[in-house]
Amino acid sequence: MPLHVPPAPAPALRSVLTALASPTAVREARTPSLLRAQGPVTPELPLPVHVLDGTATRLTGWRFLIRCGERSVAAAETMLTPDGWAFSHFFEGPYIASTERALRQAEVMQQPYQPRLLSIPGLYMLALWLHGDSTADAATGRLAATDLLVPLAPAPPGIAAHRPHRAAELLPVLTHRVTPAPLLGSPA
């Protein structure tokens, strides 16, 4: 069953296209793969980026994989500002290939999903969030117990990358690991 990739807001896409057309923005990004790209580069697979804050999520941006020919060479991220969507930065690294791999895994699943990215800053972790309501507004929505989370590589120690987990099973593990330990001498 194919994934239902939500459309990115038009201003977010425009900001990435403008940055890609700017030699200054590309050069200052210092992403070797993007600088070496031969031929046209295009933003594809827009994914909303949500941050896990306790048990709630909030939309913080949209991430686009930047494709040159048959492969992704970088990613571009946008952020929401008081004036609307704006380009944030280009980057490369292991999360690009890991995102593509997780998306390929999800495409062969029987149930339709809406793909999103879920950032867990306290663990330096990123996961592909497969939201069960494929028609939901990608900017909103709660993490449902039956949603799937696919940790991307590199994952924190003890959490297997690319292994789908039901949110109800993985969230307690994540929130427990993120919860700071009490200070010595303080009441528990």
Side-chain angles (χ1 to χ4, degrees), residues 31-94:
T31 56
S33 295
L34 190 56
L35 289 170
R36 289 190 309 266
Q38 299 293 316
V41 291
T42 55
E44 296 182 356
L45 287 170
L47 295 173
V49 180
H50 294 258
V51 171
L52 182 64
D53 189 11
T55 57
T57 63
R58 62 183 165 77
L59 179 70
T60 59
W62 282 80
R63 182 172 296 175
F64 298 78
L65 295 179
I66 306 300
R67 189 169 290 281
C68 181
E70 295 298 313
R71 64 184 204 93
S72 294
V73 296
E77 196 149 317
T78 63
M79 63 183 176
L80 190 56
T81 69
D83 295 325
W85 290 101
F87 172 75
S88 175
H89 61 281
F90 291 115
F91 64 95
E92 60 184 65

Side-chain angles (χ1 to χ4, degrees), residues 63-149:
R63 182 172 296 175
F64 298 78
L65 295 179
I66 306 300
R67 189 169 290 281
C68 181
E70 295 298 313
R71 64 184 204 93
S72 294
V73 296
E77 196 149 317
T78 63
M79 63 183 176
L80 190 56
T81 69
D83 295 325
W85 290 101
F87 172 75
S88 175
H89 61 281
F90 291 115
F91 64 95
E92 60 184 65
Y95 285 130
I96 295 168
S98 188
T99 300
E100 287 183 312
R101 177 179 170 186
L103 286 167
R104 281 192 305 273
Q105 282 179 272
E107 284 178 341
V108 298
M109 294 180 176
Q110 296 301 311
Q111 180 178 339
Y113 288 104
Q114 182 187 84
R116 303 171 175 196
L117 291 173
L118 183 64
S119 173
I120 302 104
L123 294 175
Y124 301 101
M125 180 180 168
L126 189 63
L128 180 64
W129 169 10
L130 298 172
H131 190 53
D133 182 356
S134 60
T135 61
D137 178 357
T140 61
R142 299 185 58 99
L143 191 55
T146 56
D147 287 352
L148 294 181
L149 295 175

